[in-house]
Amino acid sequence: MGTDPVAPALRSDAARAKDATKLGANGEVLHSFATLLAHLGTLTRNTVEFSQGIQIEQLSVPTPLQRRVFELIGSPIPITIGGKSTEQKH
């Protein structure tokens, strides 16, 4: 007889180590989708208004993880809301 096709899969040693330490093979912190979105949510854009009515938008400095996420998805970090986006200078 062969193996049971509906038996639970066995986890590898590497998968068990990742789960126990929450670290990847290269030592970087692993995130769930929810924790990654929460971290990305800390990238903020603030509108600064000066006394003469001049307004500028200021983007918070992206963390290395935030920069890496945008790099992996092949998208620049947007510095404007809607319309044309350009990559923020690092």
Side-chain angles (χ1 to χ4, degrees):
M1 274 251 162
T3 60
D4 183 353
V6 293
L10 297 176
R11 296 187 77 198
S12 68
D13 290 339
R16 284 194 294 275
K18 283 183 191 179
D19 190 39
T21 64
K22 306 298 186 226
L23 297 174
N26 59 359
E28 68 184 13
V29 176
L30 299 176
H31 292 271
S32 69
F33 186 66
T35 62
L36 182 59
L37 286 180
H39 185 76
L40 287 172
T42 66
L43 186 60
T44 61
R45 181 180 299 107
N46 299 302
T47 301
V48 180
E49 185 170 347
F50 296 94
S51 60
Q52 296 83 12
I54 298 170
Q55 291 184 347
I56 62 168
E57 289 186 349
Q58 183 178 23
L59 187 66
S60 61
V61 177
T63 66
L65 175 61
Q66 291 165 337
R67 289 179 192 207
R68 181 71 176 132
V69 167
F70 279 94
E71 179 183 297
L72 287 172
I73 64 172
S75 177
I77 297 172
I79 59 170
T80 61
I81 299 173
K84 185 178 177 183
S85 294
T86 57
E87 188 168 353
Q88 181 184 16
K89 303 298 180 206
H90 304 297

